[in-house]
Amino acid sequence: MWSWVLHRITGVLTFFFLFVHVLDTAMVRVNPETYDAIIDTYKTPLVGLMEIGLVGAVLYHALNGIRVMLVDFWSQGPKYQRLMLWIVAAIWFVVVIPGAGRIFYNMFTAGGH
């Protein structure tokens, strides 16, 4: 049940990120100065923390989406759905921790953001 709820929430978050990303990228053609101002706001630690959340959301949504497809289209999927959820959680932690660490590092170094 909670994996279903989290899958929907991460899907909505990813959609809103893509929507904002398309809008801010379109600003480069409309008004380059506004685009530069928008990009400057992305170089703050708060946005860095939001990026960590985005990485976590996208990774969970992608990995759980594979699990959902296996449950739906693999004859043994329903039998192993709980095991697959634990595998998704393990892979998520293994991948998101170094990704979050790299973003966190970039937030506070001169070469980052």
Side-chain angles (χ1 to χ4, degrees):
M1 170 71 179
W2 287 110
S3 66
W4 180 86
V5 171
L6 194 55
H7 191 75
R8 297 312 182 267
I9 291 170
T10 57
V12 169
L13 291 173
T14 303
F15 169 78
F16 281 119
F17 162 74
L18 292 171
F19 182 73
V20 170
H21 179 63
V22 167
L23 289 178
D24 68 12
T25 303
M27 286 305 297
V28 77
R29 303 279 286 169
V30 176
N31 188 336
E33 293 80 22
T34 303
Y35 172 79
D36 290 339
I38 292 169
I39 295 304
D40 284 340
T41 65
Y42 293 166
K43 297 177 183 178
T44 64
L46 176 63
V47 174
L49 292 174
M50 290 169 60
E51 285 178 343
I52 292 171
L54 176 66
V55 168
V58 169
L59 282 172
Y60 176 79
H61 193 77
L63 293 169
N64 193 57
I66 294 168
R67 183 185 74 87
V68 168
M69 286 188 293
L70 287 171
V71 168
D72 288 346
F73 297 112
W74 178 37
S75 64
Q76 298 296 311
K79 178 180 176 182
Y80 294 109
Q81 66 89 18
R82 186 176 300 270
L83 173 63
M84 289 188 290
L85 180 61
W86 285 107
I87 292 169
V88 163
I91 293 170
W92 184 85
F93 274 107
V94 166
V95 175
V96 84
I97 297 301
R102 180 61 185 190
I103 293 169
F104 193 75
Y105 173 79
N106 285 344
M107 285 178 359
F108 299 107
T109 62
H113 277 261

